[in-house]
Amino acid sequence: MPRVSQDHLDARRRQILDGARACFGRFGYEGATVRRLEEATALSRGAIFHHFRDKESLFLALAEDDAARMADVVAEQGLVQVMRDLLSGESQHPADWLGTRLEVSRRLRTDPEFRGRWAEHSQQLTTATRKRLEWQRRSGNLRDDISVEVLADYLQLVLEGLVSHLAMGLPADDLEPVLDVVEDSVRRHRGE
Amino acid sequence: MPRVSQDHLDARRRQILDGARACFGRFGYEGATVRRLEEATALSRGAIFHHFRDKESLFLALAEDDAARMADVVAEQGLVQVMRDLLSGESQHPADWLGTRLEVSRRLRTDPEFRGRWAEHSQQLTTATRKRLEWQRRSGNLRDDISVEVLADYLQLVLEGLVSHLAMGLPADDLEPVLDVVEDSVRRHRGE
């Protein structure tokens, strides 16, 4: 396949994902009808489902795409920075990202089949978080009395709490010092 | 009003709350129809709505009742213990308690009017958590470089993450050591 065609396919795929992200975030999975997906992507259903087998595949691709972008930030700056970006609204698509994440949470609660399909896609963030923590440990910045696995689980539990907190529309102005406590609690301290 | 009558009213109220808790937990707020509430409480709709003005008032009373029971555990043993009970399934009505909590979370996300009504009821847990932390600080067990307000927000954020994690049916076997990290991060340490 000539290179120009592959570029075109990639761009089209990106266009569908970006439109679908906004659409799922706004209407939820069930509410994101094919007609609304057409409007949000400015493409016909034929064009959309040429790239993705069905709505479920499109949603999973989107969730995977978001997880990959989060994993990139984690690799560069750590999971606490992902949380800080979320608070300050400085992540690339903060509201949309949150919308996808919430839909994943909701479907995990209510759709056991989805749980199985999602499991394969959810390892990326865990892997990126652990790698980042291992690197921090080698640099001597991480506390060394707790395993990297436990610290990664801890940070992901706090992230889950933050997502839930924001989703419920609870005030988030006071959470910066809370994230300082979280960051401090994984660090190596003086005299240790 | 004679004492025996008040006791009878209290017992009836308890019977309604316990049945309704199971019913809301199982079917969700919208799914808990009056007919299902009748079945779950073994009482007629007349008897139920003699005690509670409407379904909304019943749900709020239930959420408040759960918050009060949680606040009692917090006052005695701290919020981390509430989380440990939740993990081990040793709280009095673990699944039901979780069900109510999830319904509160979901309605906070989707129902702005509910958010206002809930705000009045949600202060109990925050107040109990802060009081417990103040007592720990006076006993010299709490770190004293971070305010009680921030530490209370921190613990509540982790609780929210735990509730969300359990609700999504994610594996919880490995979370005990994570709660050890949480508990440790609010404690006063040697040499401080």
Side-chain angles (χ1 to χ4, degrees), chain A residues 35-92:
Chain A
R35 187 177 178 87
R36 280 173 171 161
L37 285 168
E38 287 181 317
E39 278 168 26
T41 59
L43 289 168
S44 71
R45 62 193 68 199
I48 296 171
F49 296 115
H50 175 68
H51 288 263
F52 300 94
R53 203 180 55 210
D54 50 24
K55 190 166 106 172
E56 173 78 8
S57 306
L58 173 54
F59 182 76
L60 280 172
L62 188 61
E64 188 171 22
D65 187 58
D66 283 4
R69 289 187 301 131
M70 273 177 76
D72 285 346
V73 180
V74 169
E76 291 278 321
Q77 303 172 284
L79 194 58
V80 175
Q81 190 56 45
V82 169
M83 298 189 222
R84 291 196 193 278
D85 288 351
L86 201 53
L87 266 194
S88 68
E90 271 179 23
S91 59
Q92 237 184 324

Side-chain angles (χ1 to χ4, degrees), chain A residues 109 153-166 168 170 175 178 182, chain B residues 63 66-74 78-88 91 94 97-102 104-105 109 118 122-130 150-168 172 175 178-179 181-183 185-186:
Chain A
R109 283 200 295 275
D153 286 349
Y154 165 69
L155 291 178
Q156 291 191 90
L157 196 67
V158 176
L159 172 66
E160 201 55 63
L162 186 62
V163 167
S164 181
H165 187 94
L166 294 173
M168 290 188 286
L170 298 174
L175 289 183
V178 170
V182 173
Chain B
D66 283 4
R69 288 188 301 132
M70 273 178 77
D72 286 346
V73 179
V74 169
L79 193 58
V80 175
Q81 190 56 46
V82 169
M83 299 189 221
R84 292 195 193 280
D85 288 352
L86 202 52
L87 267 194
S88 68
S91 60
W97 177 93
L98 189 60
T100 310
R101 177 96 193 180
L102 285 172
V104 168
S105 298
R109 283 199 296 274
W118 174 245
S122 62
Q123 272 304 308
Q124 278 184 89
L125 190 63
T126 303
T127 304
T129 304
R130 287 183 182 176
V150 169
L151 293 177
D153 286 349
Y154 165 70
L155 292 177
Q156 290 191 89
L157 196 67
V158 176
L159 172 66
E160 201 55 62
L162 186 62
V163 166
S164 180
H165 187 94
L166 295 173
M168 291 190 284
L175 289 182
V178 170
L179 294 186
V181 172
V182 173
E183 191 153 43
S185 61
V186 300

Side-chain angles (χ1 to χ4, degrees), chain A residues 1 12 30 34 58 67 93-94 124 145 158 162 189-190:
Chain A
M1 189 179 294
R12 185 53 58 95
E30 280 80 17
V34 172
L58 173 54
H93 300 283
Q124 277 185 89
D145 57 336
V158 176
L162 186 62
H189 287 120
R190 60 201 175 286

